[in-house]
Amino acid sequence: MSSSKVTRTDAVAKVTGRAKFAADQTVDPLRHAFLVTATVPSGRISVLETGPAECSPGVVAVLTHLNAPRLSPAQGLYMHRLLPLQNDHVHYEGQPVAVVVAEHLEQAKAAAKELRIAYDREPVPTVLDDALGDAWRPTPIPR
């Protein structure tokens, strides 16, 4: 097995402590986000009140399906149904339903508690055969 010499352009900076890493960079102004997740396994968001959270100290934004940027899903993928904050449908417990952005993480967490979210629950299939009607079927790849 032959070895070839590889010249690392950052070697000297790393061993002398002069290299800059991502964690060494300062971001001004830095903002913190707190993810709010669904508390039901299946359903739709029926109530979404963000006003008190938006007025909380340090809050920069509260993103929900009502104001989040629209995402362009890759065509033909099942995951397009699960893109975050794109509609009011809840597919699983723990699904992101809001993001609170604030100057400090503690402010984002506190403001998230001010959100009022209610759901219209939908039945969860408990037997595989019951869920097959909604299953995604991939398009066969031509050979």
Side-chain angles (χ1 to χ4, degrees):
M1 170 191 240
S2 68
S3 64
S4 61
K5 224 175 185 182
V6 176
T7 303
R8 304 259 334 208
T9 58
D10 58 351
V12 173
K14 284 183 176 178
V15 297
T16 59
R18 291 181 286 151
K20 294 287 184 189
F21 295 91
D24 299 326
Q25 306 303 313
T26 57
V27 177
D28 190 35
L30 180 64
R31 299 294 182 243
H32 299 267
F34 187 80
L35 199 62
V36 179
T37 59
T39 58
V40 299
S42 182
R44 293 199 176 271
I45 298 171
S46 59
V47 174
L48 180 58
E49 293 179 9
T50 61
E54 292 171 329
C55 295
S56 295
V59 171
V60 175
V62 177
L63 297 174
T64 70
H65 70 280
L66 299 174
N67 63 351
R70 298 296 102 189
L71 301 175
S72 298
Q75 294 300 316
L77 295 178
Y78 175 74
M79 293 304 292
H80 76 277
R81 291 179 57 189
L82 300 177
L83 290 174
L85 306 178
Q86 298 300 291
N87 58 47
D88 65 347
H89 195 139
V90 174
H91 295 275
Y92 59 94
E93 188 170 346
Q95 174 182 326
V97 294
V99 179
V100 179
V101 181
E103 295 171 2
H104 301 284
L105 183 58
E106 294 77 16
Q107 293 171 323
K109 286 181 182 179
K113 292 178 184 175
E114 299 296 322
L115 291 173
R116 184 166 169 250
I117 305 173
Y119 305 91
D120 286 333
R121 288 177 173 254
E122 294 176 356
V124 178
T126 55
V127 178
L128 180 59
D129 290 339
D130 294 342
L132 286 178
D134 292 329
W136 174 71
R137 293 183 181 8
T139 306
I141 299 172
R143 293 184 180 209

